[in-house]
Amino acid sequence: MTSSPIPSVSVLPEVADALAHGAPVVALESTIISHGMPFPQNVEMATEVEGIVRAHGAVPATIAVLDGVCQVGLTPEQLHHLATVGGVFKATTRDLPWLVASGSTGATTVAATMRLAALVGIRVFATGGIGGVHRGAAHTFDVSADLTELSITPVAVVSAGVKSILDIALTLERLETLGVPVVVNGSDDFPSFYSRTSGLPAPRRLDGADQLAAMLHATWDQLGLHTGISIANPIPAADEIPADEIGAVITEALHELDAQGVTGQDVTPFLLRRVVDRTEGRSLVANLALVRNNAATAADLAVAYSRLRRANLPA
Ligand code: PSU
Ligand code: MN
């Protein structure tokens, strides 16, 4: 392991080398491995996604906290360990200090992954879905720290939009309030994870890696802003589950959530699990397809942005 400028953060040598040379790197989160998908699909997905990032010309860096050390880039053994070991904490940004202090193991959410990526200079990150404003948040105050992180941490997050376990309209409102640029790749509709549409329009639209890279360049290098960027990448049409079909399943899952009194950090993992169970795995197939698609788009973006930055280096 190469050390990094930050104590308690360890960067895999291949990743450190790419960063030192301005080569493209794509961060990948680990909550999707430990809490978002069942074994063995989770470890297969994580391995395959790293391969897709490589095939598109970038270096993958899956991020997690292992025994109190923040790891940027995991070896295949570490990845397998994380996918199979019990007692892995779901970690958002505020959990990082506790994990380090107590020497614990945690899988990082979008928020915590963004923060660790930014600490070592990674600018592009691929995931499935981001967290957001939960339905009923007016009473529960349950708004994901992913939104806070997007407002303060300069990483572009490629997701398939926002899952309708959340209040999508309120999530978009909150992102606007927080000053987070939101663009949809190649569509005029804001996607809702399993579906290419959500009934809401795309706040802004761009088409393809070069246009998206220009947006990253404008945000950080030309305007000097420090926000994250939310890039919504619709699921491929062939893999889509129609909104009304998945909607019924999600409504039932939300009823179960209420009936069982699940709250706090357990809400999102509970809903994700129930949706998979109730669709007999069909949603898992769609989930895998969109994660693959996001990994390819993020890698293309990382390559295009790295090229753009090199071309604009001061002489
Ligand atoms: N949505 C998904 N799949 C996921 C998650 C969200 O469709 O795996 C995970 C991500 O790691 C995300 C986290 O950052 O859940 C959000 O959790 P919370 O709502 O507790 O902030
Ligand atoms: Mn929450």
Side-chain angles (χ1 to χ4, degrees):
M1 287 288 141
T2 311
S3 63
S4 80
I6 300 138
S8 283
V9 178
S10 173
V11 184
L12 205 65
E14 183 192 10
V15 175
D17 189 57
L19 289 170
H21 295 92
V25 176
V26 173
L28 300 162
E29 64 149 309
S30 46
T31 294
I32 193 173
I33 301 172
S34 64
H35 296 75
M37 277 187 199
F39 180 82
Q41 284 94 340
N42 57 358
V43 72
E44 288 165 10
M45 177 273 309
T47 308
E48 189 192 346
V49 161
E50 290 201 349
I52 291 170
V53 168
R54 283 183 206 286
H56 285 254
V59 174
T62 302
I63 294 180
V65 185
L66 302 180
D67 299 325
V69 179
C70 302
Q71 304 281 356
V72 177
L74 299 181
T75 64
E77 294 72 30
Q78 288 173 326
L79 199 80
H80 193 267
H81 175 72
L82 188 76
T84 50
V85 75
V88 176
F89 293 94
K90 174 185 161 200
T92 186
T93 307
R94 66 102 178 243
D95 298 309
L96 294 174
W98 181 84
L99 290 171
V100 171
S102 64
S104 303
T105 293
T108 50
T109 63
V110 168
T113 306
M114 284 181 76
R115 183 65 68 93
L116 291 172
L119 283 179
V120 302
I122 301 175
R123 298 300 197 135
V124 179
F125 166 18
T127 186
I130 59 169
V133 179
H134 280 267
R135 301 197 198 185
H139 299 288
T140 62
F141 274 40
D142 193 351
V143 179
S144 175
D146 291 355
L147 303 189
T148 317
E149 202 63 42
L150 276 164
S151 71
I152 55 175
T153 299
V155 172
V157 182
V158 179
S159 75
V162 176
K163 202 173 265 182
S164 57
I165 59 172
L166 302 172
D167 189 318
I168 301 175
L170 291 190
T171 301
L172 288 172
E173 284 292 347
R174 193 78 196 118
L175 285 166
E176 181 184 354
T177 303
L178 291 167
V180 178
V182 179
V183 291
V184 178
N185 183 29
S187 171
D188 294 320
D189 296 308
F190 188 76
S192 59
F193 199 84
Y194 298 116
S195 316
R196 294 178 59 82
T197 58
S198 62
L200 294 160
R204 294 286 183 251
R205 170 184 177 154
L206 290 171
D207 290 79
D210 288 333
Q211 287 190 7
L212 292 169
M215 173 87 181
L216 272 56
H217 187 55
T219 305
W220 301 321
D221 309 319
Q222 295 179 295
L223 289 163
L225 302 178
H226 299 283
T227 61
I229 300 172
S230 174
I231 298 171
N233 197 34
I235 185 172
D239 302 303
E240 181 176 33
I241 305 180
D244 50 350
E245 198 178 322
I246 199 76
V249 172
I250 286 171
T251 304
E252 285 174 41
L254 287 163
H255 282 139
E256 282 183 82
L257 182 84
D258 276 345
Q260 297 188 27
V262 177
T263 57
Q265 285 206 312
D266 298 331
V267 169
T268 299
F270 177 89
L271 292 172
L272 297 178
R273 224 172 20 247
R274 292 309 293 143
V275 170
V276 172
D277 291 347
R278 287 187 164 278
T279 58
E280 289 167 336
R282 179 162 173 225
S283 65
L284 197 57
V285 175
N287 199 341
L288 290 167
L290 67 86
V291 172
R292 286 186 198 108
N293 187 46
N294 293 345
T297 298
D300 291 345
L301 171 58
V303 169
Y305 181 55
S306 153
R307 200 180 295 134
L308 199 54
R309 281 191 106 179
R310 281 185 178 150
N312 286 279
L313 280 180

